[in-house]
Amino acid sequence: MSGNSLGKLFSVTNFGESHGPAIGAVIDGCPPGLELSEADIQAELDRRRPGTSRHVTQRREPDTVEILSGVFEGVTTGTPIGLLIRNTDARSKDYRNIADTFRPGHADFSYFKKYGIRDPRGGGRSSARLTAPTVAAGAIARKWLAREHGVRIRGYMSQLGPIPIPFETWDEVPRNPFFAPNAAIVPQLEAFMDDLRRAGDSIGARIEVIAQGVPPGWGEPLYDRLDADIAHAMMGLNAVKGVSIGSGFDCVTMRGSEQGDEQGPDGFMSNHAGGVLGGISSGQDLKVSLAVKPTSSIRIERRSINRAGDPVTVQTLGRHDPCVAIRATPIVEALLGIVLMDHALRHRGQCGRGA
Amino acid sequence: MSGNSLGKLFSVTNFGESHGPAIGAVIDGCPPGLELSEADIQAELDRRRPGTSRHVTQRREPDTVEILSGVFEGVTTGTPIGLLIRNTDARSKDYRNIADTFRPGHADFSYFKKYGIRDPRGGGRSSARLTAPTVAAGAIARKWLAREHGVRIRGYMSQLGPIPIPFETWDEVPRNPFFAPNAAIVPQLEAFMDDLRRAGDSIGARIEVIAQGVPPGWGEPLYDRLDADIAHAMMGLNAVKGVSIGSGFDCVTMRGSEQGDEQGPDGFMSNHAGGVLGGISSGQDLKVSLAVKPTSSIRIERRSINRAGDPVTVQTLGRHDPCVAIRATPIVEALLGIVLMDHALRHRGQCGRGA
Amino acid sequence: MSGNSLGKLFSVTNFGESHGPAIGAVIDGCPPGLELSEADIQAELDRRRPGTSRHVTQRREPDTVEILSGVFEGVTTGTPIGLLIRNTDARSKDYRNIADTFRPGHADFSYFKKYGIRDPRGGGRSSARLTAPTVAAGAIARKWLAREHGVRIRGYMSQLGPIPIPFETWDEVPRNPFFAPNAAIVPQLEAFMDDLRRAGDSIGARIEVIAQGVPPGWGEPLYDRLDADIAHAMMGLNAVKGVSIGSGFDCVTMRGSEQGDEQGPDGFMSNHAGGVLGGISSGQDLKVSLAVKPTSSIRIERRSINRAGDPVTVQTLGRHDPCVAIRATPIVEALLGIVLMDHALRHRGQCGRGA
Amino acid sequence: MSGNSLGKLFSVTNFGESHGPAIGAVIDGCPPGLELSEADIQAELDRRRPGTSRHVTQRREPDTVEILSGVFEGVTTGTPIGLLIRNTDARSKDYRNIADTFRPGHADFSYFKKYGIRDPRGGGRSSARLTAPTVAAGAIARKWLAREHGVRIRGYMSQLGPIPIPFETWDEVPRNPFFAPNAAIVPQLEAFMDDLRRAGDSIGARIEVIAQGVPPGWGEPLYDRLDADIAHAMMGLNAVKGVSIGSGFDCVTMRGSEQGDEQGPDGFMSNHAGGVLGGISSGQDLKVSLAVKPTSSIRIERRSINRAGDPVTVQTLGRHDPCVAIRATPIVEALLGIVLMDHALRHRGQCGRGA
């Protein structure tokens, strides 16, 4: 299978460009009998939608999803689920000024080198807009995982640039535009973003995502370990430059007597492993952490080259997220959902009843 | 395809257990016409072999590889390359004492939960021994990449527990058992390891791996980005808990005006991206960093449970690496080679001449 | 990958049901730089469209295709090509009378057994209507194969029920509704079909499809032989019950001294192999033959059961093709195109320029 | 995945050449908990072994299988099963005389065109010897299918060249070297073969294979229909030129009122469908028929070319099966077992307990 499909049994094939007629996905392998409506999917799309606060891109896309197939009388049939989202606010003219140059840190250079073709309309295929179909597919996975296994997947921002965001409560996450689990810090985040926007710059951030209720036994070592497939899905998201599980990079300085989670009759006594042992879920909370780089499209003038290789300066106007990580939380939840669902089905296929 | 294969066109299928009759791999999709002998592979196997210093497991495995197929008169034929490595120093009795208990932080718990079967012989399938066939497959990929594209892949240890290892020179890497690029620090590393061994404990570490000469254009976004597939391969390696590309987790605190690599007629002016833009290689050095957790099998007594769920204490004797990361460098080089080769072929398949 | 995708590098994912909102496909892996417009695809769709003669279903579907992605300024970009065909003439009420019973020889029984769900609208997913996206994808493959390799793919009907149709000329094929390569026999075919339609019955047929210009070297034995993948694609088409290559079932009675094609400096002296030797194209014409069963939906009353397992009689009214094979020719040409293109890219990936 | 793997969840990767050191397979995805010994596999290998009668090749290969992994204490562990068969009777010198020429009808021409490499030792990778690992893998599948679902797979020869072999009884099949279900006809078959051998020629044949006990619901339409995957597996077998299901090519002349199997409360009243409706098993017997071409390696002198393209005559001495179909029955049973098992697991993965 070519590179725009994610998952082996629960398989999501994504298509579309930022400023083409439409984007969408085909989800193949969904079990039959799952109650599913457009509203189930729309709720998740609305969480990642642009234009919902002054801290994200002002592009106004309703991102209305249409289910084209795979659902009959409100229930999945087991056949492929076609999802369609029309692009409505595509202002290609915004991108004319960059059609012949390459933005520093942007995919337009490497896409051109690969394909010999340049689609400058809003980043074309490399746009973060293409995460919308992923979110839609993830909504289906998450609904099934919740119903069949009681799995709950939630993410939050744990750091915005230099500002760590201490975890206080899940309740706060949906109440602010940053998905920050901490009400007290929100004014500081807003002030930081306002300054940044005025400066025409962008910033990185860190996102955590956790799945609770994952039963032990999911994952296929050697190579398709659960954590390996999670890393694949997460590193495949725009702007992600690092992925870690459990104690992650902190384990570099840890001793085995500290890092290895002890266990008693009542369960594990710590969770440095982050819910995965040897590539297979252990039954503990699955804990994933992501580093998201700052947006490359910024107003500040930067040095680059044009197609001819001549030096130019580039300043990206248009409408961009100054911190792509702000809208990343629903996406990483969706990605984790897709990976878990795929492995749930794979485990059930091989090992039967255990699933 | 089930989970023990890595790569779509250059595809490595791994089999074996630590203390079974043999381990090995089948490499399918290798281009014909590559000069290949067992010596090419053996050289890489010898770099990861146990028992080469007092700082690694004392298991004495010659790890002699036999090419069973796919090579005729010293040249690959394009048909599957079967590789066989017999296990010779398998002391199953060392593991009898742990057959009924689960080591904290070890995969034996999750494997048992998944399969309902317990193979306690040296960790069975979850043993780091199974990285040997990966190294063997990687040797083939690296030879082809070097010949066809001049790609050079090298790794080193950049931190051992609390001790950062500043990069001095590649020349030093093969001269010490740690793959440390710095002669001056080796005595400190040795002293640290001697203390650790006496304490019966283990330690984490950090490994860097770099590929030079990768042409721009490899990688298949959306989902099978080059960095995504690298993350998959690396996180699929035993004990790896974190993977990052380029500036990695440092990009959390960086601004776009700093992180986005500027470009001039003579090339890029920095490499925060780590050689990948939008999931496609940019032509810069590919830079990957890994967090490796401490070995879970330690002599220090720890709390766990047995199969019946009763509390027990576990002390792992046998022969174990106190720092699995010490032997990880040749493995991560191999993994990077496999991923790059797979994408080289995939790119050539889709885009033709560009490869 | 789940079961609704065809091809590994040139990969077609199909979605939709006969009477849902839309049907379509995502084509992933298409090389960049191919000139492509909706007209290229529409021409092939029009060849298989229903309602073009009295001998096929009278459903009137314009089958208008919309390209949603993957094409920019008239040229493929190398990213997924999303194709959408809206269903417009969906009369679900026609199917109400069969919603609770199973038509003899029809997939509604096995679909219900598999998924536990019944979508009776026009056969749902099992409808021959779902071949339209396949035809659309095949049009892309055929255009690329023609441009890159001069491959030409053409099919014709060689037998309609008891009437063999001797091959006279390709020129005649597009001039009659049967894709018959023989003008003289057309009146006989029409008379046969008129009688059949009056009788409320259906009939089988045989289709030949030939690819000229295929270079030697395509196919991946052992298992993914070129002929094996052709057989997979063809047997995957509705109503096909037999597939053969070259001399096919005639070779049962042949001796090796007759069946093995001799070769001279000017090429092969016969083509019993049908263009494939050992699963790899030989450079000769690729010759495939198919047996297509009669439509199961007929007006004649037949014995069956309902969901409860009780005996019923079934008479299918609605609009059906009395000989599905009549519209099969463009579809089998498309399928052959998809398989050949996939193998062209796979061969180029592994073996390089030879492609 | 490259082309030497068969199956998505139950996945068989085959390696080896006829006259290399060894052949074998890795079976990935086998459920844990299946009792398995080398004897289980050996029994099937012995059925296809050469040298068991004067009517097959006189090569004397013990074909002794060694299980390298995936089985612990007599039970599958769920990890990959490595199988090894050493080549012992490899007389490469027999092939020297053909190393520079191409046998009419043989794969050596197309392999050379594909890979640019020539391994003339016994046909190298294209040898029918490579069906041994397939048979070994099939033995595992068949054991699991029998245990879990009571599936029984049996094949027989239904025609040898011009001699139809009427089905009398399964009991007779193992009692003669032809797998003929009819004792009375055996002397005629023997006489025919003796004449043929004296003439230095070869002959085609027809094989039937039937699976009983397959539950309804296996298969993944659109493309990965059960019959499509069967056709893929069967057409992927050396010398097979045609595959049909149920009434097969006879359905060309059948009417729908005859071909569509009626159903009553006690089940289907006929089986023209051959156990598959719409690509999904119906619960009826699965019936597959194969056309096997005559061996291309014959003693009779034939015209061909050498590598330089010059005309030559070719006469193949060495040891060859004058009718490869004679040993094909155990192989096609194995192939059917592998496909069914893969779909059993895939169905269980998607649809759960129904499997």
Side-chain angles (χ1 to χ4, degrees):
Chain A
M1 279 299 304
S2 286
N4 293 276
S5 294
L6 184 64
K8 292 193 175 178
L9 288 195
F10 184 83
S11 184
V12 179
T13 299
N14 181 306
F15 68 89
E17 293 97 38
S18 179
H19 288 56
I23 60 178
V26 181
I27 295 106
D28 195 7
C30 186
L34 179 68
E35 290 184 16
L36 187 71
S37 70
E38 279 144 356
D40 290 319
I41 298 170
Q42 196 63 50
E44 286 302 314
L45 284 174
D46 290 349
R47 291 178 70 220
R48 81 157 277 291
R49 191 166 54 185
T52 52
S53 84
R54 71 182 184 274
H55 307 298
V56 298
T57 174
Q58 294 308 299
R59 180 170 174 163
R60 300 264 166 199
E61 282 285 2
D63 280 353
T64 306
V65 69
E66 181 185 8
I67 297 177
L68 298 176
S69 63
V71 176
F72 179 62
E73 297 182 343
V75 170
T76 58
T77 60
T79 62
I81 302 170
L83 299 178
L84 187 73
I85 300 169
R86 291 275 172 190
N87 291 325
T88 57
D89 186 18
R91 300 189 200 160
S92 296
K93 67 181 172 346
D94 286 355
Y95 297 90
R96 287 217 189 110
N97 63 320
I98 52 147
D100 195 46
T101 61
F102 301 111
R103 282 167 280 180
H106 194 276
D108 47 20
F109 176 75
S110 55
Y111 268 71
F112 180 65
K113 286 289 182 182
K114 180 176 189 70
Y115 299 113
I117 295 278
R118 183 80 189 273
D119 174 1
R121 301 167 302 165
R125 181 73 180 150
S126 71
S127 167
R129 179 153 178 71
L130 272 308
T131 58
T134 300
V135 167
I140 300 171
R142 295 167 72 184
K143 186 165 189 186
W144 186 85
L145 287 165
R147 191 191 74 172
E148 289 291 310
H149 295 284
V151 171
R152 184 173 195 184
I153 299 171
R154 290 181 294 189
Y156 64 92
M157 181 180 281
S158 61
Q159 182 158 346
L160 175 71
I163 312 169
I165 306 173
F167 183 86
E168 286 291 332
T169 167
W170 286 111
D171 295 344
E172 187 55 30
V173 174
R175 293 193 191 126
N176 64 76
F178 304 98
F179 296 86
N182 184 319
I185 213 162
V186 171
Q188 193 182 342
L189 302 177
E190 297 200 307
F192 181 87
M193 290 304 298
D194 288 340
D195 285 349
L196 187 77
R197 201 166 55 249
R198 275 187 290 270
D201 213 340
S202 63
I203 192 72
R206 185 164 178 152
I207 305 291
E208 316 295 317
V209 57
I210 292 169
Q212 295 174 299
V214 176
W218 294 358
E220 282 198 51
L222 289 198
Y223 299 121
D224 287 353
R225 292 172 189 239
L226 184 60
D227 41 359
D229 279 357
I230 290 170
H232 171 261
M234 297 296 171
M235 196 71 95
L237 175 60
N238 306 45
V240 171
K241 300 303 284 185
V243 180
S244 70
I245 306 285
S247 53
F249 279 83
D250 290 344
C251 73
V252 169
T253 55
M254 290 168 86
R255 290 184 167 227
S257 54
E258 176 190 8
Q259 207 270 347
D261 304 305
E262 291 184 299
Q263 213 176 348
D266 301 329
F268 286 96
M269 298 169 187
S270 57
N271 188 7
H272 295 296
V276 187
L277 292 169
I280 298 172
S281 61
S282 67
Q284 286 200 283
D285 284 1
L286 207 70
K287 300 175 76 170
V288 185
S289 187
L290 303 171
V292 185
K293 73 169 185 175
T295 321
S296 53
S297 299
I298 55 177
R299 282 209 329 277
I300 293 174
E301 198 170 271
R302 311 216 67 211
R303 290 169 293 174
S304 185
I305 58 172
N306 61 18
R307 284 201 202 195
D310 302 321
V312 296
T313 57
V314 174
Q315 197 189 2
T316 312
L317 301 175
R319 299 160 299 173
H320 296 282
D321 286 285
C323 175
V324 280
I326 291 179
R327 296 199 286 134
T329 294
I331 308 167
V332 301
E333 292 170 355
L335 286 166
L336 189 53
I338 292 167
V339 174
L340 287 173
M341 175 136 191
D342 187 41
H343 275 285
L345 300 185
R346 289 166 73 170
H347 178 60
R348 184 161 75 176
Q350 186 184 10
C351 297
R353 204 148 344 218
Chain B
M1 280 299 305
S2 287
N4 293 277
S5 294
L6 185 63
K8 291 193 176 178
L9 288 195
F10 183 83
S11 184
V12 180
T13 300
N14 181 306
F15 68 89
E17 293 96 38
S18 178
H19 288 56
I23 60 178
V26 181
I27 294 106
D28 195 7
C30 186
L34 178 69
E35 290 183 17
L36 186 70
S37 70
E38 278 143 356
D40 291 320
I41 299 170
Q42 196 64 50
E44 287 302 315
L45 284 174
D46 290 348
R47 291 178 69 220
R48 81 157 277 291
R49 193 167 51 186
T52 52
S53 83
R54 71 182 184 275
H55 307 297
V56 298
T57 173
Q58 294 308 299
R59 179 170 175 165
R60 299 263 166 202
E61 283 285 2
D63 280 353
T64 307
V65 68
E66 182 186 7
I67 297 177
L68 298 176
S69 63
V71 176
F72 179 60
E73 297 182 342
V75 170
T76 59
T77 60
T79 63
I81 302 170
L83 299 179
L84 187 72
I85 300 168
R86 290 276 173 191
N87 291 324
T88 58
D89 186 18
R91 301 189 201 159
S92 296
K93 65 180 173 345
D94 286 356
Y95 298 91
R96 285 215 190 111
N97 62 322
I98 53 148
D100 195 47
T101 60
F102 301 112
R103 282 166 280 181
H106 196 275
D108 48 20
F109 177 74
S110 55
Y111 268 72
F112 181 65
K113 287 289 183 182
K114 181 176 189 70
Y115 299 114
I117 295 277
R118 183 81 189 273
D119 173 1
R121 302 166 303 165
R125 181 73 180 149
S126 71
S127 167
R129 179 153 179 71
L130 272 307
T131 59
T134 300
V135 167
I140 300 171
R142 293 168 73 184
K143 186 166 188 187
W144 187 87
L145 287 165
R147 190 192 75 173
E148 290 291 309
H149 295 284
V151 171
R152 184 173 195 183
I153 301 171
R154 289 181 294 190
Y156 63 92
M157 181 180 282
S158 60
Q159 182 159 348
L160 176 71
I163 312 169
I165 306 173
F167 183 86
E168 287 291 332
T169 168
W170 286 111
D171 295 344
E172 188 55 30
V173 174
R175 293 194 191 126
N176 64 76
F178 304 98
F179 297 86
N182 186 319
I185 213 162
V186 170
Q188 193 182 342
L189 302 177
E190 297 199 308
F192 181 88
M193 289 304 299
D194 288 340
D195 285 349
L196 187 76
R197 202 167 53 250
R198 277 188 288 269
D201 212 340
S202 63
I203 193 72
R206 184 164 179 151
I207 305 291
E208 315 295 317
V209 58
I210 292 170
Q212 295 174 299
V214 176
W218 294 358
E220 282 198 52
L222 288 200
Y223 299 121
D224 287 352
R225 293 174 187 238
L226 185 59
D227 41 0
D229 279 357
I230 291 170
H232 171 261
M234 298 296 171
M235 195 72 94
L237 175 59
N238 307 44
V240 171
K241 300 302 284 184
V243 180
S244 69
I245 307 284
S247 52
F249 278 83
D250 289 344
C251 74
V252 169
T253 56
M254 291 168 87
R255 291 184 166 228
S257 55
E258 174 190 9
Q259 206 271 346
D261 303 305
E262 292 184 298
Q263 212 175 350
D266 300 330
F268 287 96
M269 298 168 187
S270 57
N271 189 9
H272 295 297
V276 187
L277 291 169
I280 298 171
S281 61
S282 67
Q284 286 199 283
D285 284 1
L286 208 70
K287 300 176 76 170
V288 184
S289 187
L290 304 171
V292 184
K293 74 169 186 176
T295 322
S296 53
S297 299
I298 54 177
R299 284 210 327 274
I300 294 174
E301 199 171 89
R302 310 215 67 209
R303 291 169 292 176
S304 186
I305 57 171
N306 61 18
R307 284 201 203 197
D310 301 322
V312 295
T313 57
V314 174
Q315 197 189 2
T316 312
L317 301 175
R319 299 159 300 172
H320 296 282
D321 286 284
C323 175
V324 280
I326 291 178
R327 296 198 288 133
T329 293
I331 308 167
V332 301
E333 292 170 355
L335 286 165
L336 189 54
I338 293 168
V339 174
L340 286 174
M341 176 136 191
D342 187 43
H343 275 284
L345 300 185
R346 289 165 74 170
H347 178 61
R348 183 162 74 175
Q350 186 184 11
C351 297
R353 208 143 339 216
Chain C
M1 278 300 304
S2 287
N4 293 278
S5 294
L6 183 64
K8 291 193 177 178
L9 288 195
F10 183 83
S11 184
V12 179
T13 300
N14 181 306
F15 67 88
E17 292 97 38
S18 179
H19 288 56
I23 61 178
V26 181
I27 295 105
D28 195 6
C30 185
L34 178 68
E35 290 183 18
L36 187 70
S37 70
E38 278 143 356
D40 291 320
I41 299 170
Q42 196 64 51
E44 286 303 314
L45 284 174
D46 290 349
R47 291 177 69 220
R48 81 158 276 291
R49 192 167 51 185
T52 52
S53 83
R54 71 181 183 276
H55 307 297
V56 297
T57 173
Q58 294 308 299
R59 180 170 174 164
R60 299 263 167 202
E61 283 285 1
D63 280 351
T64 307
V65 69
E66 181 186 7
I67 297 177
L68 299 176
S69 64
V71 176
F72 179 60
E73 297 182 341
V75 170
T76 60
T77 60
T79 62
I81 301 170
L83 299 178
L84 187 72
I85 299 168
R86 290 276 172 190
N87 291 325
T88 57
D89 186 19
R91 301 189 200 158
S92 296
K93 66 181 173 344
D94 286 356
Y95 298 92
R96 285 216 190 110
N97 63 320
I98 53 148
D100 195 47
T101 60
F102 301 112
R103 281 166 281 181
H106 194 276
D108 48 19
F109 176 74
S110 55
Y111 268 72
F112 179 65
K113 286 290 182 182
K114 180 176 188 69
Y115 299 114
I117 295 278
R118 182 81 189 274
D119 173 2
R121 301 166 304 165
R125 181 72 180 151
S126 71
S127 167
R129 179 153 178 70
L130 272 307
T131 59
T134 299
V135 167
I140 300 171
R142 294 168 71 184
K143 186 166 188 187
W144 186 87
L145 287 165
R147 191 192 74 173
E148 290 290 308
H149 295 284
V151 172
R152 183 173 195 182
I153 301 171
R154 290 182 293 190
Y156 63 92
M157 181 180 280
S158 60
Q159 183 160 347
L160 176 70
I163 312 169
I165 305 173
F167 183 87
E168 288 290 333
T169 168
W170 287 112
D171 295 344
E172 188 56 30
V173 174
R175 294 193 191 125
N176 64 75
F178 304 98
F179 297 86
N182 185 319
I185 213 162
V186 170
Q188 192 182 344
L189 302 178
E190 296 199 310
F192 181 87
M193 289 304 299
D194 289 340
D195 285 351
L196 187 76
R197 201 167 53 249
R198 276 188 289 269
D201 212 339
S202 63
I203 192 72
R206 184 166 179 151
I207 305 290
E208 315 295 318
V209 58
I210 292 170
Q212 295 174 299
V214 176
W218 294 358
E220 281 197 53
L222 289 198
Y223 300 121
D224 286 353
R225 292 172 188 239
L226 185 59
D227 42 359
D229 279 357
I230 290 170
H232 171 262
M234 298 296 172
M235 196 71 96
L237 174 60
N238 306 45
V240 171
K241 300 303 284 184
V243 181
S244 70
I245 307 284
S247 53
F249 279 83
D250 289 345
C251 72
V252 168
T253 56
M254 291 169 86
R255 291 183 166 228
S257 55
E258 173 190 11
Q259 206 270 347
D261 303 305
E262 291 184 299
Q263 211 175 350
D266 300 330
F268 287 95
M269 299 169 186
S270 58
N271 189 9
H272 296 296
V276 188
L277 292 169
I280 298 172
S281 61
S282 67
Q284 286 199 285
D285 284 1
L286 207 70
K287 299 176 76 169
V288 184
S289 187
L290 303 171
V292 184
K293 73 169 187 176
T295 321
S296 53
S297 300
I298 54 177
R299 282 211 327 275
I300 293 173
E301 198 170 271
R302 310 216 67 211
R303 290 169 294 175
S304 185
I305 57 172
N306 62 18
R307 284 201 204 195
D310 301 322
V312 295
T313 57
V314 174
Q315 196 188 4
T316 311
L317 302 175
R319 301 160 298 173
H320 296 282
D321 285 284
C323 174
V324 280
I326 291 179
R327 296 198 288 133
T329 293
I331 307 168
V332 301
E333 291 170 356
L335 286 166
L336 188 54
I338 292 168
V339 173
L340 285 174
M341 175 138 191
D342 187 42
H343 275 285
L345 300 186
R346 290 166 72 168
H347 178 61
R348 184 162 74 176
Q350 186 184 10
C351 297
R353 209 140 331 208
Chain D
M1 279 300 303
S2 287
N4 293 278
S5 294
L6 184 64
K8 292 193 176 177
L9 288 195
F10 183 82
S11 184
V12 179
T13 300
N14 181 306
F15 68 89
E17 292 96 39
S18 178
H19 288 55
I23 60 177
V26 181
I27 295 106
D28 195 8
C30 185
L34 179 69
E35 289 183 18
L36 187 71
S37 71
E38 278 143 356
D40 291 320
I41 300 169
Q42 196 63 52
E44 286 302 315
L45 284 174
D46 289 349
R47 292 178 68 220
R48 80 158 276 291
R49 192 166 53 186
T52 52
S53 83
R54 71 181 183 276
H55 307 298
V56 298
T57 173
Q58 294 309 299
R59 180 170 174 164
R60 299 263 167 200
E61 283 285 2
D63 280 352
T64 307
V65 69
E66 181 186 7
I67 296 177
L68 299 176
S69 64
V71 177
F72 179 61
E73 297 182 342
V75 170
T76 60
T77 60
T79 62
I81 301 170
L83 300 178
L84 187 72
I85 300 168
R86 290 276 172 189
N87 291 325
T88 57
D89 186 18
R91 300 189 200 159
S92 297
K93 65 181 173 343
D94 286 356
Y95 297 92
R96 285 216 190 111
N97 63 320
I98 52 147
D100 195 48
T101 60
F102 302 111
R103 281 167 280 182
H106 194 275
D108 48 19
F109 177 73
S110 55
Y111 268 71
F112 180 65
K113 286 290 183 181
K114 180 176 189 69
Y115 299 114
I117 295 278
R118 184 79 190 274
D119 173 2
R121 301 167 302 166
R125 181 73 180 150
S126 71
S127 167
R129 179 152 178 72
L130 272 308
T131 58
T134 299
V135 167
I140 300 171
R142 294 168 72 184
K143 185 164 190 188
W144 186 87
L145 287 165
R147 191 192 74 172
E148 290 290 309
H149 294 285
V151 172
R152 183 173 196 183
I153 301 172
R154 288 181 295 189
Y156 63 93
M157 180 180 283
S158 60
Q159 182 158 346
L160 177 72
I163 312 169
I165 306 172
F167 183 86
E168 287 291 332
T169 167
W170 286 112
D171 295 343
E172 187 56 30
V173 174
R175 293 193 192 128
N176 64 76
F178 304 99
F179 296 86
N182 185 318
I185 214 162
V186 170
Q188 192 181 344
L189 302 177
E190 297 198 309
F192 181 87
M193 289 303 298
D194 289 340
D195 285 349
L196 186 76
R197 202 166 54 249
R198 276 187 289 271
D201 213 339
S202 62
I203 193 70
R206 184 165 178 150
I207 305 291
E208 315 296 317
V209 57
I210 293 169
Q212 294 175 299
V214 176
W218 294 358
E220 282 197 53
L222 289 200
Y223 299 121
D224 286 354
R225 292 172 188 240
L226 184 59
D227 40 1
D229 278 358
I230 290 170
H232 171 262
M234 298 296 172
M235 195 71 95
L237 175 59
N238 306 44
V240 171
K241 300 303 284 185
V243 180
S244 70
I245 307 284
S247 51
F249 279 83
D250 289 344
C251 72
V252 168
T253 55
M254 291 169 85
R255 292 186 165 225
S257 54
E258 174 190 10
Q259 205 271 348
D261 303 306
E262 291 184 299
Q263 212 175 348
D266 300 329
F268 287 96
M269 299 169 186
S270 57
N271 188 9
H272 296 296
V276 186
L277 292 169
I280 298 172
S281 61
S282 67
Q284 286 199 284
D285 283 0
L286 208 69
K287 300 175 76 169
V288 185
S289 187
L290 303 170
V292 185
K293 73 169 186 176
T295 321
S296 53
S297 299
I298 55 178
R299 283 211 327 275
I300 293 174
E301 198 170 271
R302 310 217 67 210
R303 290 168 294 175
S304 184
I305 57 172
N306 61 19
R307 284 201 204 195
D310 301 322
V312 295
T313 56
V314 174
Q315 197 189 3
T316 312
L317 302 174
R319 301 160 298 173
H320 297 281
D321 285 284
C323 174
V324 280
I326 291 179
R327 296 198 288 133
T329 294
I331 308 168
V332 302
E333 292 170 354
L335 286 166
L336 189 55
I338 292 168
V339 174
L340 286 173
M341 174 136 191
D342 188 41
H343 275 285
L345 300 186
R346 289 166 72 169
H347 178 62
R348 183 162 76 176
Q350 185 184 11
C351 297
R353 208 140 330 208

